[in-house]
Amino acid sequence: MYDTTVAERPGTRQDVRRDERQPQRQETPTILPRVDVLEDETGITMLADLPGVPRDALEIHVEGDSLTIEGTVASVTPAGMEPNYAEVRVPRYRRSFTLSRELDGGRIEAQLKDGVLRLRIPKQEHAQPRRVSIKVG
């Protein structure tokens, strides 16, 4: 869903258009988690903030060159109580990335600790630096 909004100018009306090429679909509202991406010679490390998401409510999908992280916040409400006020109104995180061809999506390692998801994505063998030996003679 691609919405284009033309800014309102004095004396004009606000015009909202939809890209007709994209199918209209209803998606559950989600929170975009903050992610740090760190690169070294052998790959990248992604650190995603997912507070309140337990391991069993976290999904990581790799399809082609697309990586998607999805997680549902576990509600911690004592039995017999109901919240009067809640700041987290959207209990679902979702973020997608396009992986470079240099990265090996088949060897991703994931670790969740203290609300932070750590993904280690190594580079393909051909993209990693290597030392070339020099022959004498």
Side-chain angles (χ1 to χ4, degrees):
M1 166 173 34
Y2 293 88
D3 288 345
T4 305
T5 304
V6 178
E8 190 172 335
R9 294 185 207 140
T12 65
R13 65 178 184 81
Q14 191 173 18
D15 181 25
V16 178
R17 295 174 287 157
R18 295 193 184 279
D19 186 340
E20 298 301 326
R21 295 172 292 173
Q22 296 296 323
Q24 297 297 322
R25 57 186 167 165
Q26 296 293 333
E27 291 188 16
T28 304
T30 58
I31 299 171
L32 195 67
R34 294 191 182 266
V35 177
D36 293 334
V37 180
L38 310 164
E39 183 177 9
D40 61 24
E41 293 179 347
T42 61
I44 65 170
T45 301
M46 299 175 75
L47 302 170
D49 292 335
L50 301 167
V53 177
R55 187 173 154 261
D56 60 338
L58 179 62
E59 297 178 23
I60 302 167
H61 301 280
V62 178
E63 187 174 327
D65 63 350
S66 180
L67 168 70
T68 304
I69 302 167
E70 293 183 276
T72 303
V73 176
S75 177
V76 184
T77 305
M81 299 186 89
E82 204 173 295
N84 287 333
Y85 174 78
E87 290 191 2
V88 179
R89 299 207 183 267
V90 181
R92 186 156 183 81
Y93 290 99
R94 185 173 199 281
R95 183 98 183 243
S96 293
F97 299 90
T98 300
L99 299 176
S100 164
R101 293 182 186 171
E102 293 180 349
L103 298 173
D104 188 352
R107 297 188 330 179
I108 296 176
E109 296 175 5
Q111 177 186 13
L112 181 66
K113 183 178 179 184
D114 298 331
V116 177
L117 173 65
R118 181 186 182 275
L119 294 177
R120 178 66 186 163
I121 309 172
K123 289 183 180 178
Q124 300 274 4
E125 291 297 323
H126 67 79
Q128 291 191 17
R130 61 184 179 95
R131 187 176 188 113
V132 177
S133 61
I134 302 170
K135 296 179 183 176
V136 177

